[in-house]
Amino acid sequence: MNKICKLLNIKYPLIQGGMANIATHQLAAAVSNAGGLGLIGAGGNDEEWVREEIRKCKALTDKPFGVNIMLMSPHAPKIAQVVIEEKVAVVTTGAGNPNPYIPAWKEAGIIVIPVVPSVALAKRVEGAGADAVVVEGTEAGGHIGELTTLALVPQVADAVNIPVIAAGGIADKRGVLAVFALGASGVQVGTLMLTSEECPIHDNYKNKIIDARDTDTIVTGRNTGAPVRVLKNLMAREYLKMSNNGASLEELEQLTLGSLRKAVVEGDLDKGSFMAGQISGLIKKVRPVKEIIEDLFIDIEEYKNNLSIL
Ligand code: TUI
């Protein structure tokens, strides 16, 4: 049996990305009900919002699900406590080093899976007691590291003994097979789930991904230390101008999270920040979560056996 399926008690070795302002209880429950691991993305929300989302998710599924904690958020310390109080099965973290929280989570019996952008952080979280790591390449949407999935996954797989889940650039069977060949035992998908029927965001956001070409994403904030991949639009160009003119990290973070909300809720094509990965160009239609997940894994062994190399 697959290591990730066993660790998480799920049918398919798939985690949904913990996308800020997007991954609400509706999406998380749909993914868990379809046999993956759904995540509630805490993003910049406070601990009471997260508590409510956890309770709403429990009402929609009896399958395991998790919470993603965005560590740059000022609410992260309190959310770290709420996941313990609400007995969440799995915690994933992003945008920082989760080590200070890991002992308390392990004490509470929570499965801890940090998202890491480097070998160094993968080793550090393994040493602190993480159960697995999500290794996210720079192809991903949102806040990203420097290395590609192709280069990073095998290096982390060789450097740690815990299971590796690959993220960044995966949206079909070929992507799944590729990262398994690199040493991953599971996948995390974000952009692909953004385009699911159950994802509770404005249709303009989904359509912008469906319409995107391979070259339609851009990275803002590379020179401020908070690189964020988004679909190209007026907002992205404005952001680049502001950061080139020396705006502070805090100002830019405010701008990003505020404009992410504009994209998600209002579908504002000019002022919204449409976080999405480089694989957007591969995604051609909005489908139900169950269909998306089954399409990734059903008959994958046969697909693998048909690969011809030499
Ligand atoms: O976290 C993500 N993706 C995100 S978070 C987000 S909300 C946001 N908005 C504006 C600015 C910043 C965040 C949107 N998308 N993915 C996981 C991820 N984690 N990518 C990169 C990292 C990361 C980076 C540095 C993890 C750890 C890290 O460690 C630094 C340290 O302290 O050692």
Side-chain angles (χ1 to χ4, degrees):
M1 189 187 190
N2 173 286
K3 282 188 244 180
I4 296 300
C5 292
K6 197 166 158 192
L7 175 69
L8 301 175
N9 191 25
I10 55 179
K11 184 170 176 191
Y12 299 112
L14 174 138
I15 300 188
Q16 163 234 317
M19 301 166 286
N21 290 7
I22 294 167
T24 58
H25 68 279
Q26 292 98 327
L27 182 60
V31 172
S32 289
N33 283 332
L37 186 85
L39 292 181
I40 294 162
N45 293 293
D46 70 13
E47 65 280 6
E48 290 314 315
W49 181 90
V50 175
R51 194 191 300 280
E52 279 306 304
E53 286 293 303
I54 294 168
R55 291 182 179 175
K56 287 176 187 164
C57 196
K58 280 183 186 158
L60 296 180
T61 185
D62 53 6
K63 300 276 193 321
F65 67 89
V67 171
N68 173 271
I69 305 181
M70 206 274 279
L71 294 170
M72 273 165 78
S73 164
H75 304 292
K78 288 200 167 139
I79 296 169
Q81 199 51 43
V82 163
V83 294
I84 295 173
E85 290 163 12
E86 298 296 320
K87 302 193 189 323
V88 167
V90 183
V91 168
T92 73
T93 62
N97 179 356
N99 285 5
Y101 302 113
I102 293 182
W105 289 335
K106 291 314 303 169
E107 180 76 19
I110 295 175
I111 295 167
V112 180
I113 311 183
V115 180
V116 298
S118 67
V119 168
L121 193 60
K123 282 185 172 166
R124 290 223 300 274
V125 301
E126 178 182 42
D131 297 281
V133 280
V134 172
V135 173
E136 188 181 275
T138 195
E139 297 93 323
H143 181 54
I144 49 172
E146 288 284 335
L147 294 162
T148 61
T149 303
L150 188 71
L152 185 58
V153 171
Q155 295 189 67
V156 173
D158 281 357
V160 298
N161 291 308
I162 51 179
V164 166
I165 298 163
I170 304 162
D172 69 7
K173 280 193 184 66
R174 293 171 295 183
V176 175
L177 281 178
V179 297
F180 273 71
L182 297 173
S185 311
V187 296
Q188 177 181 282
V189 289
T191 307
L192 184 60
M193 287 301 165
L194 254 170
T195 60
S196 66
E197 275 176 11
E198 292 88 338
C199 186
I201 60 172
H202 199 283
D203 277 346
N204 285 356
Y205 201 147
K206 295 184 192 179
N207 289 333
K208 205 166 163 57
I209 293 173
I210 301 291
D211 294 342
R213 291 168 304 173
D214 54 349
T215 54
D216 280 342
T217 72
I218 191 171
V219 179
T220 59
R222 273 214 199 278
N223 55 353
T224 57
V228 172
R229 184 178 302 284
V230 294
L231 290 166
K232 289 175 183 170
N233 70 349
L234 184 67
M235 169 66 202
R237 286 194 290 276
E238 291 281 314
Y239 183 105
L240 283 174
K241 218 184 286 165
M242 257 180 86
S243 66
N244 287 337
N245 292 337
S248 73
L249 184 57
E250 257 181 1
E251 273 176 304
L252 291 167
E253 211 180 303
Q254 280 305 109
L255 180 69
T256 314
L257 280 173
S259 55
L260 175 60
R261 202 158 285 131
K262 280 203 186 93
V264 168
V265 180
E266 296 157 34
D268 188 329
L269 292 167
D270 285 337
K271 299 203 193 86
S273 174
F274 293 85
M275 297 185 187
Q278 286 184 333
I279 207 67
S280 295
L282 195 70
I283 304 170
K284 298 292 178 223
K285 58 176 193 262
V286 172
R287 292 177 294 168
V289 164
K290 188 166 184 288
E291 199 178 308
I292 292 174
I293 296 181
E294 288 178 352
D295 185 50
L296 289 180
F297 293 102
I298 292 190
D299 297 332
I300 194 163
E301 290 288 338
E302 194 188 329
Y303 201 93
K304 181 192 78 181
N305 293 337
N306 287 336
L307 281 179
S308 144
I309 297 175
L310 289 180

